[in-house]
Amino acid sequence: MLKIYNTLTKRKETFEPLNPPEVRMYMCGPTVYDYFHIGNARSFVMADIVRRYLEYSGYKVKFVMNLTDVDDKIIKKSNEEKLKFEEVSKKYITAFFEDIEKLKIKKADIYPKATEHIEDIIAMIEKLEEKGFAYNVDGNVFYDVRKFNQYGKLSGKNIEELESGARVDVDEDKKDPLDFALWKKAKEGEPYWESKWGKCRPGWHIECSVMSCKHLGEYFDIHAGGNDLIFPHHENEIAQSVAATDKPFVKYWLHFGFLNIDNEKMSKSLGNFFTAREVLKKYSAEAIRLFFSQAYYRGPLNFSDELLEGAERGAAKLKNLAEKIIREIELNRTEGEMPSIDIKAYEEKFKAAMDDDFNTSQAAAVIFDFVKEVNRLIAENENIKAEFYKNVKEFLDKTAVGVLGIMDFESAKTVADESLTGDLINLLIDIRLKAKKDKNYALADEIRDKLKELGILLQDSKDGTTYKIEK
Ligand code: AMP
Ligand code: ZN
């Protein structure tokens, strides 16, 4: 039975989706004004693992991740780079998709964009205004936080405490420092949409209330994001959605811990970050995912080359076994040893770990124990049947590949295919050499010509024959 720590209730709860086997899940996606950093990647990868484990457990997951494609940071960047704001967001949306693919993150079912939901955003703000939760001050529409009596429940903060720490920017005319903008009056040169309040653009929080509701319904199962979003972003989303629909909004709130550098949150504003694409040049996706998996998802994790190098060594162990498995399955040995291994017991342990609030580090440890036992059996037995390797692969495919994404049989297959091709060509080279020695020049030439037709060029020299594959 899966248990999830719910930020809303502050305890581990048995996971009971609203409408099983369906699970509706929303994750706050990137603001597309730059390449995302490896800290963002931690949140994206962990959300991916949660989603994959739910699917492994038999749920049908509808996964939505928004793209914030109009925002202060995007506008700032467009001014700096003398580009239209749409050009900035388009560029970084393309980069976002390239990077998540490299990180082997499964694509969401929908990636809604803020700019494609303006009508719905206006409709929700109108509803909030009608219900007395929003007020307009000269084209800026604010949410009236004091009207919402559950405010602070998610973050565990009380209104008075918040009020004393709040700061009002001089250019804002809100009634209360805690109030936040739903709809912002566009300044000169900023993108805008026409509305009854004037030429404006949406605030950030309202986007997520609108897009989650539109694609997942008014009350859905899981809402995820990094820790930094608990307050104010998610607190504000609850205030907006509950006030607009009179429904509870989200059943389970899931938050991912920060990736830190020297115990400080990695962030664009602090400048202490590495982009995911930079890190991917040095380390494999499997190693990066293993590095993330080795920490509890809710706690902090320190970024360091030592830890990533360690993860790369772990990933290499899995890769070596994957290549061996692929080669053995291709050999398809039907006679031989069939060492006994209790795969079911490993699967039970894997499930128990993941069911305990996604204990990925324990789950990864189960995988490594399993791999250790398999390697021992391979060392102890001479000729093992392909069936053994098929059983081993089936388990790893479901868990290490399918859930954690720390292993990959596809690239192992390419390596195995390439080495098999090389072995076959060398075999033909040997046969040709033998034919030449036997003065069977017709056969030797035929081998060379037929290989040429396949794009494989043989080059004879005094040291022997080498080959080149024409691309
Ligand atoms: P942003 O583009 O800044 O809105 O962030 C996209 C996602 O990454 C959000 O879910 C953030 O909470 C998350 N995030 C940002 N910085 C970090 C970090 N250092 N560690 C983990 N997650 C982060
Ligand atoms: Zn959001």
Coordinates of all heavy atoms in Angstrom, one line a residue, residues 27-33 36-44 68 73 204 224-229 234 256-260 264-268, ligand 1:
M27 N 2.2 19.3 -12.0 CA 3.5 19.7 -11.5 C 3.8 21.1 -12.1 O 3.6 21.3 -13.3 CB 4.5 18.7 -12.0 CG 6.0 19.1 -12.0 SD 6.7 18.9 -10.3 CE 8.3 19.6 -10.6
C28 N 4.2 22.0 -11.2 CA 4.6 23.3 -11.7 C 5.9 23.2 -12.5 O 6.9 22.8 -12.1 CB 4.9 24.2 -10.5 SG 3.3 24.6 -9.6
G29 N 5.7 23.6 -13.7 CA 6.8 23.5 -14.7 C 7.7 24.8 -14.7 O 7.6 25.7 -13.8
P30 N 8.6 24.9 -15.7 CA 9.5 26.0 -15.7 C 9.0 27.3 -16.2 O 8.0 27.3 -17.0 CB 10.6 25.5 -16.7 CG 9.8 24.7 -17.6 CD 8.7 24.0 -16.8
T31 N 9.6 28.4 -15.8 CA 9.4 29.7 -16.4 C 10.5 29.7 -17.5 O 11.7 29.6 -17.2 CB 9.6 30.8 -15.4 OG1 8.7 30.6 -14.3 CG2 9.3 32.2 -16.0
V32 N 10.0 29.8 -18.8 CA 10.9 29.6 -19.9 C 11.7 30.9 -20.3 O 11.3 31.4 -21.3 CB 10.2 28.9 -21.0 CG1 10.1 27.4 -20.7 CG2 8.9 29.5 -21.3
Y33 N 12.6 31.3 -19.5 CA 13.4 32.4 -19.9 C 14.9 32.1 -19.9 O 15.8 33.0 -20.2 CB 13.2 33.6 -18.8 CG 13.8 33.3 -17.5 CD1 15.0 34.0 -17.1 CD2 13.2 32.5 -16.6 CE1 15.5 33.7 -15.8 CE2 13.7 32.2 -15.3 CZ 14.9 32.9 -15.0 OH 15.4 32.6 -13.7
F36 N 17.2 25.4 -18.0 CA 16.9 25.0 -16.6 C 18.2 24.5 -16.0 O 19.1 23.9 -16.6 CB 15.7 24.2 -16.4 CG 15.7 22.8 -16.9 CD1 16.3 21.7 -16.2 CD2 15.1 22.5 -18.1 CE1 16.3 20.4 -16.7 CE2 15.1 21.2 -18.6 CZ 15.7 20.2 -17.9
H37 N 18.3 24.7 -14.6 CA 19.5 24.2 -14.0 C 19.3 22.9 -13.3 O 18.2 22.3 -13.3 CB 20.1 25.3 -13.0 CG 19.1 25.7 -11.9 ND1 18.7 24.8 -10.9 CD2 18.5 26.9 -11.6 CE1 17.9 25.4 -10.1 NE2 17.7 26.7 -10.5
I38 N 20.4 22.3 -12.8 CA 20.4 20.9 -12.3 C 19.5 20.9 -11.0 O 19.0 19.8 -10.7 CB 21.8 20.4 -12.2 CG1 21.8 18.8 -12.0 CG2 22.6 21.0 -11.1 CD1 21.5 18.1 -13.2
G39 N 19.3 22.0 -10.4 CA 18.3 22.0 -9.2 C 16.9 21.8 -9.7 O 16.2 21.0 -9.2
N40 N 16.5 22.6 -10.7 CA 15.2 22.4 -11.4 C 15.1 20.9 -11.8 O 14.0 20.3 -11.6 CB 15.0 23.2 -12.6 CG 15.1 24.7 -12.4 OD1 15.9 25.4 -13.0 ND2 14.4 25.2 -11.4
A41 N 16.2 20.4 -12.4 CA 16.2 19.0 -12.9 C 15.8 18.0 -11.8 O 15.2 17.0 -12.0 CB 17.5 18.7 -13.5
R42 N 16.3 18.3 -10.5 CA 16.0 17.4 -9.4 C 14.5 17.3 -9.3 O 13.9 16.2 -9.1 CB 16.6 17.9 -8.1 CG 16.3 16.9 -7.0 CD 16.8 17.4 -5.6 NE 16.6 16.3 -4.7 CZ 16.6 16.5 -3.4 NH1 16.8 17.7 -2.8 NH2 16.4 15.5 -2.6
S43 N 13.8 18.4 -9.3 CA 12.3 18.4 -9.1 C 11.7 17.7 -10.3 O 10.7 16.9 -10.1 CB 11.8 19.8 -9.0 OG 12.1 20.3 -7.7
F44 N 12.1 18.0 -11.5 CA 11.5 17.3 -12.7 C 11.7 15.8 -12.7 O 10.8 15.1 -13.0 CB 12.1 17.9 -14.0 CG 11.8 19.4 -14.1 CD1 12.7 20.2 -14.9 CD2 10.7 20.0 -13.6 CE1 12.5 21.6 -15.0 CE2 10.5 21.4 -13.7 CZ 11.4 22.2 -14.4
T68 N 5.3 28.3 -18.0 CA 5.0 29.8 -17.7 C 5.7 30.5 -18.8 O 6.9 30.7 -18.8 CB 5.5 30.2 -16.3 OG1 4.8 29.4 -15.4 CG2 5.3 31.6 -16.1
K73 N 10.3 37.8 -15.7 CA 11.7 37.4 -16.1 C 11.8 37.2 -17.6 O 12.9 37.5 -18.2 CB 12.0 36.1 -15.4 CG 12.2 36.2 -13.9 CD 12.4 34.8 -13.4 CE 12.2 34.7 -11.9 NZ 11.8 33.4 -11.4
W204 N 1.3 35.2 -11.9 CA 1.9 33.8 -12.1 C 0.9 32.8 -11.4 O 0.6 31.7 -11.9 CB 3.3 33.8 -11.4 CG 3.9 32.4 -11.3 CD1 3.8 31.4 -12.1 CD2 4.7 32.0 -10.2 NE1 4.5 30.3 -11.6 CE2 5.1 30.7 -10.4 CE3 5.1 32.6 -9.0 CZ2 5.9 30.0 -9.5 CZ3 6.0 31.9 -8.1 CH2 6.3 30.6 -8.4
A224 N 2.4 18.8 -7.4 CA 3.8 18.7 -7.0 C 4.5 19.9 -7.4 O 4.1 20.7 -8.3 CB 4.4 17.5 -7.6
G225 N 5.7 20.1 -6.8 CA 6.6 21.2 -7.1 C 7.7 21.3 -6.1 O 7.7 20.5 -5.1
G226 N 8.6 22.1 -6.3 CA 9.8 22.3 -5.4 C 9.3 22.9 -4.1 O 8.3 23.6 -4.1
N227 N 10.1 22.8 -3.0 CA 9.8 23.3 -1.7 C 9.5 24.8 -1.7 O 8.8 25.4 -1.0 CB 11.0 23.1 -0.8 CG 10.8 21.9 0.1 OD1 9.7 21.4 0.2 ND2 11.9 21.5 0.7
D228 N 10.3 25.5 -2.6 CA 10.2 27.0 -2.7 C 8.8 27.4 -3.1 O 8.4 28.6 -3.0 CB 11.2 27.6 -3.6 CG 11.2 26.9 -5.0 OD1 10.7 25.8 -5.1 OD2 11.7 27.5 -5.9
L229 N 8.0 26.5 -3.6 CA 6.7 26.9 -4.1 C 5.6 26.8 -3.1 O 4.4 27.3 -3.3 CB 6.3 26.1 -5.4 CG 7.3 26.2 -6.5 CD1 6.8 25.4 -7.8 CD2 7.6 27.6 -6.9
H234 N 1.9 28.0 -3.9 CA 0.8 27.0 -3.8 C -0.3 27.4 -2.8 O -1.4 27.1 -2.9 CB 1.4 25.6 -3.4 CG 2.2 25.0 -4.5 ND1 3.2 24.1 -4.3 CD2 2.2 25.3 -5.8 CE1 3.7 23.7 -5.5 NE2 3.1 24.4 -6.4
F256 N 9.3 18.8 -3.3 CA 10.7 18.3 -3.5 C 11.7 19.2 -2.8 O 11.6 20.4 -3.0 CB 11.0 18.1 -5.0 CG 10.0 17.3 -5.7 CD1 9.2 17.9 -6.7 CD2 9.8 15.9 -5.4 CE1 8.2 17.1 -7.3 CE2 8.9 15.2 -6.1 CZ 8.0 15.8 -7.0
G257 N 12.7 18.6 -2.2 CA 13.7 19.3 -1.5 C 14.6 20.0 -2.5 O 14.7 19.7 -3.6
F258 N 15.4 21.0 -2.0 CA 16.3 21.7 -2.8 C 17.6 20.9 -3.1 O 18.1 20.2 -2.3 CB 16.7 23.0 -2.2 CG 15.7 24.0 -2.0 CD1 15.7 24.9 -0.9 CD2 14.6 24.1 -2.9 CE1 14.7 25.8 -0.7 CE2 13.6 25.1 -2.7 CZ 13.6 25.9 -1.6
L259 N 18.1 21.2 -4.3 CA 19.4 20.9 -4.6 C 20.3 22.1 -4.2 O 20.0 23.2 -4.6 CB 19.6 20.6 -6.1 CG 21.0 20.0 -6.4 CD1 21.2 18.6 -5.9 CD2 21.1 20.0 -8.0
N260 N 21.2 21.8 -3.3 CA 22.0 22.9 -2.8 C 23.5 22.8 -3.3 O 23.9 21.8 -3.8 CB 22.1 22.8 -1.2 CG 20.8 23.1 -0.6 OD1 19.9 23.7 -1.1 ND2 20.6 22.5 0.6
E264 N 23.6 26.0 0.2 CA 22.8 27.1 -0.2 C 22.0 26.6 -1.4 O 22.5 25.9 -2.3 CB 23.6 28.3 -0.6 CG 23.0 29.6 -0.3 CD 23.9 30.8 -0.4 OE1 25.1 30.6 -0.9 OE2 23.5 31.8 -0.1
K265 N 20.7 27.0 -1.5 CA 19.8 26.6 -2.6 C 20.5 27.0 -4.0 O 20.9 28.2 -4.1 CB 18.5 27.3 -2.5 CG 17.5 26.9 -3.6 CD 16.3 27.8 -3.6 CE 15.5 27.6 -4.9 NZ 14.6 28.6 -5.2
M266 N 20.5 26.1 -4.9 CA 21.0 26.4 -6.2 C 19.9 27.3 -6.9 O 18.7 26.9 -6.9 CB 21.2 25.2 -7.0 CG 21.8 25.5 -8.4 SD 22.0 24.0 -9.5 CE 23.4 23.2 -8.8
S267 N 20.2 28.4 -7.3 CA 19.2 29.3 -8.0 C 19.8 30.2 -9.0 O 21.0 30.6 -8.9 CB 18.3 30.0 -7.0 OG 19.0 31.1 -6.5
K268 N 19.0 30.6 -9.9 CA 19.5 31.6 -10.9 C 19.9 32.9 -10.3 O 20.9 33.5 -10.6 CB 18.3 31.9 -11.9 CG 18.0 30.8 -12.8 CD 18.8 30.8 -14.1 CE 18.9 29.5 -14.7 NZ 17.5 28.9 -15.1
Ligands
AMP1 P1 11.3 27.8 -11.8 O1 11.6 27.7 -13.3 O2 12.3 28.6 -11.0 O3 9.9 28.2 -11.6 O4 11.4 26.3 -11.2 C1 10.9 25.1 -11.8 C2 10.8 24.0 -10.8 O5 12.1 23.7 -10.2 C3 9.9 24.4 -9.6 O6 9.1 23.3 -9.3 C4 10.9 24.8 -8.5 O7 10.3 24.6 -7.2 C5 12.0 23.8 -8.8 N1 13.3 24.3 -8.2 C6 13.9 25.5 -8.4 N2 15.1 25.5 -7.8 C7 15.3 24.3 -7.3 C8 16.4 23.7 -6.5 N3 17.6 24.3 -6.2 N4 16.3 22.4 -6.2 C9 15.2 21.7 -6.5 N5 14.1 22.2 -7.2 C10 14.2 23.5 -7.6

